[in-house]
Amino acid sequence: MTDTTETTRQLPKAYRPADFEGAIYERWIGADVFAPDGAGSTADPSAEPFVIIQPPPNITGSLHLGHAQRTAVEDLMIRHARMTGRPTLFLPGLDHASIAAQYVLDKILAGEGESRASLGRERYLERMWQFINVTREVMLGQQRRLGASLDWSRLRFTMDAGSAMAVREAFYRLHRDGLAYRTEALINWCPGCRTSVSDLEVIPTPETGTLWTVRYHLLDDATGRPDPDAWIAVATTRPETILGDVAVAVHPDDPRYAAFVGRQARIPFVERDVPIIADPIVEREFGTGAVKITPAHDHDDYETGRRHGLPMLTVLDDAAAVVGTGTRFEGLDRLDARREIVAALEASGDLESSRPHELLIGRCERSRDVIEPRLKTQWFVRAAPLAARALEATRGGRTTIVPERFVKVWEHWMTNIRDWNVSRQLWWGHRIPAWYCPDGHITVSAEEHGPTACEVCGRPSSELQQDPDIFDTWFSSGLWPFSTLGWPDDTPDLRRYYPGSVMETGHEILFFWVARMMMLGLHLTDVEPFHTVYLSGLIRDAEGQKMSKTKGNVVDPLAVMETSGADALRFAVIHGATPGLDQRFGPQRLELGRNFANKLWNAVRFILGARPEGIATDAVRIAPDADRLGPAERWIRSRLAATVAEVDRGVADYQFGEVTRALYDGIWSEFCDWGLELAKVRLADESLPAADREATWWTLVEAIDTYLRLLHPVMPFVTEELWGALPHRPEDPPMLVVARWPVAGPRDPVTESAVGALVELVRVVRSARAEGGVEPGRWLPGEVFAPTSLAGAFDALRPALERLSRCRPLVRHAQRDAFLTAAGSRPGLSVVVGEIEADVALGEGAEGPPAAELARLEKELAEAERLLEAARTRLANAAFTAKAPASVVEGARGREAELADQVARLRERLRR
RNA sequence: GGGCGGUUAGCUCAGCCGGUCAGAGCGCCUCGCUUACACCGAGGAAGUCGGGGGUUCGAGUCCCUCACCGCCCACCA
């Protein structure tokens, strides 16, 4: 490390991120600075640790831009905390993503002519491990490339032994506490994935279907046979479910059907006679006002069936083919069956009508197949009591959600929560640790090898059968904040790093993941798993479209980083980050980041190259000599202090876009555009004592060092690289990554306003020159009248002001009369900026002020008059002066005086 | 059917607690190779802050309402 601390190094002329980003990451790893207790850590061990919880990405392929943006935000927070001297934990991990992974692997297998069935459970899982051994490296590599300062020594996976142990223990306790139960219930079945899915995984999709109206003949009370001339018409979008109908429901107050209630109707094909019942759930206006009830294949009907004690007849199997009906439709896929049933009804004359109908179809989030609700015996987690505790945590302020508006969404969901179906008929995942004995007794065990005997009847384990199902993938994800720290064991990590500080994730998985972590965490550990939930928005493409593989508009972060660098990507995505709001990403954004890095690079190159001869190349950094600072140097320091404060505020408020904006403006528009330009002149001024020039240089070093620290969490690579080339203090650590976060110094309002006025003068003179059509390269003499309060700053900065305004000599007059005499009536450009007036001579040969100059002055006058008028109107309003705060009124008066002065001066200039 | 978010220069967006807040980047126009940077520098044009009400001395900034776009939740078969 000594090479970077004790000597300043030469920087290559061009900023080429690819040349150093990888090497820098290696150096961080080599120095072991990411682990909270790593060899290179400079944290205060007694400080409160800062822990970021990163959603472990799904191990299904590669990371996309959304991952990159979130990782960037997380890394920003953790790097900032690390620099403040807190022990930090940023734990890397991957999620086995059971259903998503199986979906991907199934597709790959299909391409090879294999399938889940052809391989069998064992070989299928072997294939899965092979698959993820490849993808995991890709994904971890992407995180490294992005510069994520993850503690790799703590890498975890939701399918590792630690997670497995936590899953078993968690389920064991939930069951013990009466919060996990097994029952037959109507669940969402995906025929494509051949598994149940949770309510959240069913995506309501608007589609145009058909609404068929079908006649069910009433039974003749006398004969007990269907009456060909009496029927009740029901409307349905799924005629195949007729086979499972067990009732017809009408609204109890519907006069049309009052006489029907209590009678029987004959279901076609299955020739089943079912009751006509009354239930207020029926919408009288919809369809015919009579609803067929299929409790085993429809969520609403299931509830209705339960209310009325109706039988539940399953007529679709796992593949969604007709089963158990004893009809000729047996074995047909439900859609084929639907067609045939409609045709048969039409033939029999019982199809009254059919019309197109817009409806919401539940589709599988993964396979997009139509979800077919069906009865299954599954494990459920009782949600209400868990949700109550989660709500307590957010209401009590122990966990804060950022941005705040999501609290409402959270509350709504938590208060209407339904029990969580955790059984999945998949293979890739944690097997449910429940065993059943031949007598149907249930034994749940947290032991790795299962129970030794049935808990109820004592039968030996050899007679017990383990549940073939696995857990919903979110069950293990829900344990992530503590399962990764050794829970259920009472480990040092768990004590030190739990609960976490900030949990960052996309708002789309607020329910899937955040809610489950809260519920499980509170129940199992008795403490909320994190203090803050920071929700990010989605990354969209430049057109505002959601990025998706099928649309082909996904941006590969690796490719982006290859061309523009990780820093540019990080800057771009952080720049656009507003909590909870989506952002568009396009090439422009990226260029912004890259250009900024380039600017920074060149600024540092300039500073290093401008080192006064009296300072050795390997000089140890010293603070600039305060007695030798000029106005420009004091201005730089004061503006720097302002930027530090702004960045601090942005970080504290999670307004990361504000952080990048403050840095962009501070570094580019203030420090580079004015600070360096002013300093340049002083550094080159041989007439000044060497010590003055050295103080200037040390000021630049101090400023850029501070800016680099502030920017490090956003752009870690380029800042590390550049910082390494700067002279350092003896107490500085070898690398920026563990250097101390800056403390905002004092502001200097007097200097800020004086230099601000002079900067404005330069700006206005430049503008006047350009508008007046003066050749840019031409030096013009100028006269300036500045109030005595600005005299010191003006004189000190005169050489710089001359150079920047390209006016020489620039003569300052202390008296306005003298100024007016000197400016005289010669042809020239006149500017009025605040209390300063300047007149730039156009030189011999000029006939008079060019027409453009007059037009410019007139425009300025008109604008000033307009503003003055507005200010006067405001002050004339008695209500304003009476009710507005004194400071505001005072400010308005000052403004009025200023404007009046400016108007007067401009009029005077125009008269000449 | 509820709920939430967005609507600010041609484009992409900042504008936190109402009082120089009308801004930035890109694009556009005019200039410029001034020894850090053409991934640059200087200057410039450009918006009745979605519409309409209201509160206030004062409103992109608060309230109501409407419109359009987007998202989330929801048991109309």
Side-chain angles (χ1 to χ4, degrees), chain A residues 26 30 59 68 81 102 141 146 154 236 264 325 337 348 362 416 446 486 503 544 552 604-605 618 682 710 792 858 912:
Chain A
E26 291 307 314
I59 195 155
Q102 283 206 204
L146 193 70
R154 284 180 169 84
T236 181
Q264 298 268 115
T325 62
S348 69
N416 295 290
M503 139 90 247
V604 173
R605 277 204 320 126
D618 59 351
R682 198 169 192 247
L710 293 175
E858 268 161 12
R912 285 192 288 140

Side-chain angles (χ1 to χ4, degrees), chain A residues 868-877:
Chain A
L868 179 61
E869 179 63 25
R872 286 194 168 140
T873 309
R874 190 145 80 124
L875 284 164
N877 186 345

Side-chain angles (χ1 to χ4, degrees), chain A residues 242 381 484 519 563 580:
Chain A
I242 287 172
V381 169
T484 51
M519 296 194 293
T563 57

Side-chain angles (χ1 to χ4, degrees), chain A residues 221-232:
Chain A
D221 284 340
T223 63
R225 293 169 173 279
D227 181 342
D229 301 319
W231 60 77
I232 184 163

